[in-house]
Amino acid sequence: MNNKFSYAAVILQWVLNLSLIVLALILVIFLGKETIYIFSFINDGGELSKLELLEGILVYFLYFEFIALIIKYFEANYHFPLRYFIYIGITAIIRLIIIDHESPADTLIYSGAILVLVITLYIANTKQLKRE
């Protein structure tokens, strides 16, 4: 009975790995499109605003971080490090603040969320919790 479950775990691990590889390829394609979008800012004659350029750069870093997370998953023997999720969360909230900064209360709440994530990152990088 235990042997059947180990086969199921192996099959599910393969499905997960293949899915992550497909996701990584899709993210690489979108990263390439975002690179073209960012470099089009130079040649557009001023049609893109600086805010749109900044948003594009932050989206670029989000793609980059997700690809790095998938790479780290395979390097860490099928384990997602917590701190990479925290990095992605911080970048996403910064992007949200830049895009939606009309309400001061919301901006303050987002800043508090970043502070909580930075504190969490500090705690996750202590010697007792660091696995690598």
Side-chain angles (χ1 to χ4, degrees):
M1 186 75 157
N2 209 6
N3 199 12
K4 291 179 185 179
F5 290 121
S6 66
Y7 286 130
V10 169
I11 291 170
L12 290 174
Q13 186 68 51
W14 272 96
V15 169
L16 177 66
N17 291 345
L18 290 174
S19 300
L20 282 173
I21 290 171
V22 169
L23 178 64
L25 292 173
I26 292 169
L27 288 171
V28 166
I29 291 169
F30 283 124
L31 184 68
K33 287 184 177 184
E34 198 64 36
T35 303
I36 293 169
Y37 174 75
I38 289 171
F39 282 112
S40 70
F41 179 78
I42 298 169
N43 299 323
D44 74 342
E47 289 183 25
L48 289 175
S49 70
K50 291 179 183 174
L51 185 63
E52 290 171 329
L53 174 65
L54 188 57
E55 179 185 0
I57 291 171
L58 287 170
V59 169
Y60 185 86
F61 278 111
L62 282 172
Y63 286 134
F64 188 77
E65 287 173 352
F66 275 113
I67 293 169
L69 178 68
I70 292 172
I71 292 168
K72 203 62 169 164
Y73 169 80
F74 288 110
E75 288 178 350
N77 295 326
Y78 313 115
H79 170 73
F80 285 113
L82 174 66
R83 68 177 189 275
Y84 280 86
F85 286 110
I86 297 171
Y87 296 147
I88 291 169
I90 291 170
T91 305
I93 294 173
I94 290 171
R95 179 185 174 272
L96 184 61
I97 288 173
I98 290 171
I99 301 307
D100 182 28
H101 56 272
E102 294 179 13
S103 170
D106 288 346
T107 304
L108 185 62
I109 291 171
Y110 297 149
S111 300
I114 290 173
L115 179 63
V116 168
L117 286 172
V118 168
I119 292 169
T120 304
L121 185 61
Y122 175 76
I123 293 170
N125 281 329
T126 59
K127 290 182 182 179
Q128 291 85 10
L129 295 178
K130 200 167 185 176
R131 292 178 119 184
E132 294 180 279

